Amino acid sequence: MPPFVTVAAYAPPGAGMLAAGIAAEVFDARGPGLPAFDFALCTDRPGPVRTDTGLPLVAEHGLDRLAAADLVITLPWADFRTPPGPAVLDALAAARERGALLAGHCVGAFALAAAGLLDGRRATTHWRFAALLAERYPAVTVEPEALYIDEGQVITGAGAAAGFDLCLHLLRREYGAAAANTIARDLVLPSHRDGGQAQYLATPVPQDCQDERLAEVLDWARAHLHEPMPVAELARRALMSRRSFARRFAAATGTTPHAWVLGLRVSRAEELLETTELPVDEVARLVGFGSAAVLRAQFVRRRGVPPRSYRRSFTRLPRPGATA
């Protein structure tokens, strides 16, 4: 059985139009090699739903679909300071008891918290409302800087466009990197941003010639993962000192050059493991880890499983003896 097939996005009155669009873009996508999800927008009573933009959405399903879905996404809504009604909270609890995955996008985390589903867990939300979430629900450990936090059955994410990171992480976790990367490419998005990455940057990156050089270096790094990539070499290519490069890199990406390169290498290794029969040693060489032992250590630390186990779970190649 696939990890999850039916996806229900809960849209209360005042739901975020952007958030609804993000969920639909990821889980209603169609194309070769992509999972075939049964995506539905649901609300308390089927029909038109006013959004935060004033434009209506049509939700064809009610709370019965919410309680029965494999994945439930609680969308942000304008009146999130008022908890959802008992019927919604019961439907969320029923989904949890049945083993469904639950994801709270932005202030959609407040709905999960109101249902008691975040008690004893770490969670995040839009940084602007993290203190309110912590004050309202002291049993929740709120981490305001994270893009998303994966607690197994329950996942929460930051505001606005970070919903893409949340949804792509879920897709990557359950269906593998190739599916997530395919959708990310179609949407012209980064294939993966780590959940611990900062939600926002304290100062914007000035638009000048150094930005162009930084972008060129990032493109070069993506195309040369098999080569050694010390920070000093990246700084040299950007025509900056190592210290200036590290500072500017952090301002532009919210992370360090070393962490960014490691994440890129693991992501590329995932895709090669899923879509090729290359030996693990060769995968390690192609992504710049040098040996299967180093690749294995990074995989276990970052993905929780060794490369061969990952390949068995997510390979997109035909199984031996399988028929077309």
Side-chain angles (χ1 to χ4, degrees):
M1 287 289 292
F4 61 83
V5 175
T6 55
V7 180
Y10 172 62
M17 177 70 86
L18 173 62
I22 287 172
E25 285 282 1
V26 175
F27 294 115
D28 205 23
R30 296 288 183 267
L34 291 178
F37 296 115
D38 181 5
F39 176 80
L41 196 67
C42 61
T43 190
D44 301 65
R45 295 182 183 84
V49 177
R50 177 181 52 83
T51 67
D52 59 347
T53 66
L55 298 173
L57 289 172
V58 176
E60 297 181 349
H61 300 272
L63 298 180
D64 54 337
R65 178 62 183 265
L66 188 72
D70 301 324
L71 168 63
V72 173
I73 304 171
T74 53
L75 302 178
W77 77 106
D79 194 24
F80 68 92
R81 292 174 178 82
T82 301
V88 177
L89 300 183
D90 288 345
L92 292 173
R96 192 270 304 272
E97 289 301 317
R98 202 173 32 76
L101 294 172
L102 297 117
H105 174 199
C106 188
V107 293
F110 280 74
L112 299 181
L117 305 182
L118 299 182
D119 288 358
R121 302 179 187 268
R122 297 177 305 127
T124 193
T125 187
H126 192 293
W127 61 269
R128 204 181 289 276
F129 305 109
L132 179 62
L133 182 65
E135 177 186 341
R136 288 274 185 91
Y137 304 100
V140 182
T141 301
V142 179
E143 297 185 5
E145 294 186 352
L147 275 178
Y148 53 84
I149 292 179
D150 186 337
E151 288 282 90
Q153 189 182 1
V154 182
I155 304 97
T156 51
F164 278 120
D165 298 293
L166 174 70
C167 293
L168 288 172
H169 168 72
L170 275 166
L171 190 60
R172 176 181 296 271
R173 191 188 88 173
E174 301 295 329
Y175 281 91
N181 291 349
T182 296
I183 290 178
R185 280 193 294 267
D186 286 345
L187 296 174
V188 197
L189 291 168
S191 60
H192 177 68
R193 289 202 294 172
D194 188 76
Q197 189 168 322
Q199 282 195 31
Y200 64 95
L201 306 177
T203 56
V205 182
Q207 298 298 312
D208 57 27
C209 63
Q210 287 191 335
D211 292 339
E212 294 179 9
R213 291 201 297 269
L214 182 59
E216 289 172 359
V217 169
L218 298 186
D219 288 341
W220 177 87
R222 292 185 184 96
H224 293 81
L225 287 178
H226 59 285
E227 298 182 17
M229 214 168 291
V231 176
E233 172 63 15
L234 297 176
R236 184 188 70 78
R237 289 182 171 275
L239 304 179
M240 302 179 196
S241 70
R242 179 170 175 166
R243 179 175 297 180
S244 294
F245 176 78
R247 182 172 61 249
R248 201 167 192 89
F249 192 97
T253 67
T255 189
T256 67
H258 180 69
W260 184 82
V261 170
L262 280 179
L264 202 63
R265 284 176 165 156
V266 171
S267 180
R268 178 58 179 152
E270 287 176 332
E271 194 161 8
L272 289 173
L273 289 167
E274 293 175 32
T275 59
T276 76
E277 295 180 326
L278 292 171
V280 174
D281 280 332
E282 180 65 5
V283 171
R285 185 190 69 78
L286 289 173
V287 302
F289 280 130
S291 72
V294 176
L295 175 61
R296 186 183 191 282
Q298 288 294 332
F299 243 76
V300 170
R301 186 170 74 83
R302 290 168 171 260
R303 300 294 184 257
V305 295
R308 287 184 175 85
S309 296
Y310 182 90
R311 171 171 268 167
R312 284 194 298 270
S313 296
F314 294 115
T315 184
R316 299 175 69 182
L317 299 172
R319 304 287 185 184
T323 58

